[in-house]
Amino acid sequence: KFKDAFKKISESILTYFDHEKNTAHEWSAQIFEIYSEVKDIVERGSGKTFNDLEFLVWKNIDKNQGVKKVRDYFKYFIVDEFQDTSPIQYAIFEKISDNNWQNFYFVGDVKQAIYSFRGGDINVFVKASKNVVSNLIMQNNFRSASEIVHFNNDFFESIMKTPGYPFERQVPAREDIAGHIMTVKTKLHLDAEEKVSNRKLEYTEACALIHWIMSHPKASDIAVLYRKRKPSLLLIALLKNYQIGF
């Protein structure tokens, strides 16, 4: 079990020693100091974290007619950016609703759930879509150029295989603004029986990106979005190597 667990985190350990060791040592003391201060305040009873507040609301809202008071005071419940809703937040809504969702209105984009902001969980989104009275799909996209919309449709359709929640393709509101999708291609040189690790793929990707950035006439026009921080450290190291500001 220990061997399997260590194998899972081995790439993170290598990344730490290659890229984060100095930075981690520099910041760890300050982070620990902040954590200790917050922990001390909470333990003295003079403060609560946001997570504490969520838990306390969930635990106590059905005491002393709390749910009834909330429902009497608020007639409608509108939740924006619903894809960022965490399981405990939704559990609070469940208590308030008492399985009557007629006065609840959730607005969100299931695709953005991939970022898991604030503990957001795609399963919460799917569960809510089944509980509410009806689902309205905004298929027309007025924000993005047509090529961007078509790319997003194909990309998310291939990665979002959520049971019970079919992916809905969007329609560009304007076809006269095409936009541009470009694929950055690179070659991967492997030995006959060599297995490709995530680390090698991430480094190859970073090399391909740095080559493309260096050939671009105006690097300040480029933004690179990573889902996780770890792979970005490889690109950051290359940017520093080639003295490219970012």
Side-chain angles (χ1 to χ4, degrees):
K1 288 183 179 179
F2 175 79
K3 182 180 178 182
D4 291 340
F6 188 81
K7 189 175 180 180
K8 287 181 180 178
I9 63 171
S10 60
E11 288 191 19
S12 297
I13 294 172
L14 287 172
T15 301
Y16 167 76
F17 281 104
D18 285 350
H19 303 285
E20 298 185 63
K21 188 176 180 181
N22 293 334
T23 305
H25 287 173
E26 181 180 339
W27 284 97
S28 60
Q30 296 182 45
I31 292 171
F32 183 75
E33 186 179 339
I34 294 169
Y35 167 78
S36 300
E37 178 70 18
V38 172
K39 185 172 181 285
D40 189 45
I41 291 171
V42 171
E43 288 179 348
R44 290 201 307 267
S46 57
K48 295 287 185 290
T49 66
F50 188 74
N51 288 344
D52 291 334
L53 294 177
E54 289 179 325
F55 174 75
L56 290 171
V57 170
W58 172 81
K59 184 179 179 182
N60 298 298
I61 195 171
D62 44 7
K63 296 178 182 178
N64 300 317
Q65 295 189 318
V67 169
K68 184 179 183 303
K69 290 175 183 177
V70 171
R71 290 185 66 90
D72 288 345
Y73 191 82
F74 297 102
K75 188 174 181 180
Y76 299 101
F77 300 86
I78 302 174
V79 185
D80 196 12
E81 301 292 355
F82 186 72
Q83 72 277 350
D84 299 334
T85 301
S86 67
I88 193 167
Q89 290 169 345
Y90 190 68
I92 294 170
F93 298 149
E94 286 181 311
K95 288 190 173 188
I96 296 171
S97 73
D98 194 25
N99 288 322
N100 180 4
W101 297 93
Q102 290 187 345
N103 293 349
F104 281 78
Y105 190 79
F106 300 136
V107 182
D109 178 6
V110 69
K111 296 191 296 299
Q112 293 183 45
I114 64 172
Y115 295 109
S116 300
F117 290 140
R118 300 192 299 110
D121 186 337
I122 192 170
N123 295 308
V124 169
F125 201 104
V126 174
K127 188 177 183 180
S129 70
K130 295 176 180 177
N131 286 337
V132 294
V133 177
S134 62
N135 289 276
L136 304 175
I137 307 297
M138 298 179 66
Q139 288 188 316
N140 291 334
N141 186 319
F142 294 88
R143 176 179 292 179
S144 306
S146 60
E147 285 298 316
I148 308 299
V149 175
H150 295 315
F151 169 80
N152 281 339
N153 283 336
D154 294 339
F155 177 72
F156 280 97
E157 195 169 41
S158 69
I159 67 169
M160 295 193 74
K161 307 290 186 182
T162 308
Y165 196 89
F167 177 74
E168 298 283 349
R169 296 178 70 87
Q170 288 191 317
V171 178
R174 296 183 61 179
E175 291 283 359
D176 57 320
I177 304 177
H180 180 61
I181 298 294
M182 188 188 72
T183 304
V184 178
K185 296 182 179 180
T186 188
K187 291 182 179 179
L188 201 58
H189 300 286
L190 300 172
D191 296 331
E193 297 181 359
E194 184 181 356
K195 291 183 179 179
V196 185
S197 66
N198 287 337
R199 183 175 172 79
K200 183 158 188 173
L201 283 175
E202 289 162 359
Y203 182 73
T204 303
E205 177 187 66
C207 290
L209 284 171
I210 200 73
H211 177 75
W212 182 77
I213 290 170
M214 291 175 68
S215 65
H216 198 276
K218 195 174 180 183
S220 59
D221 287 343
I222 300 170
V224 181
L225 178 64
Y226 281 95
R227 182 180 177 183
K228 293 183 179 180
R229 179 173 175 267
K230 189 177 76 171
S232 71
L233 298 174
L234 299 168
L235 179 60
I236 289 171
L238 289 172
L239 289 168
K240 289 180 177 178
N241 246 6
Y242 288 99
Q243 298 184 336
I244 301 172
F246 59 96

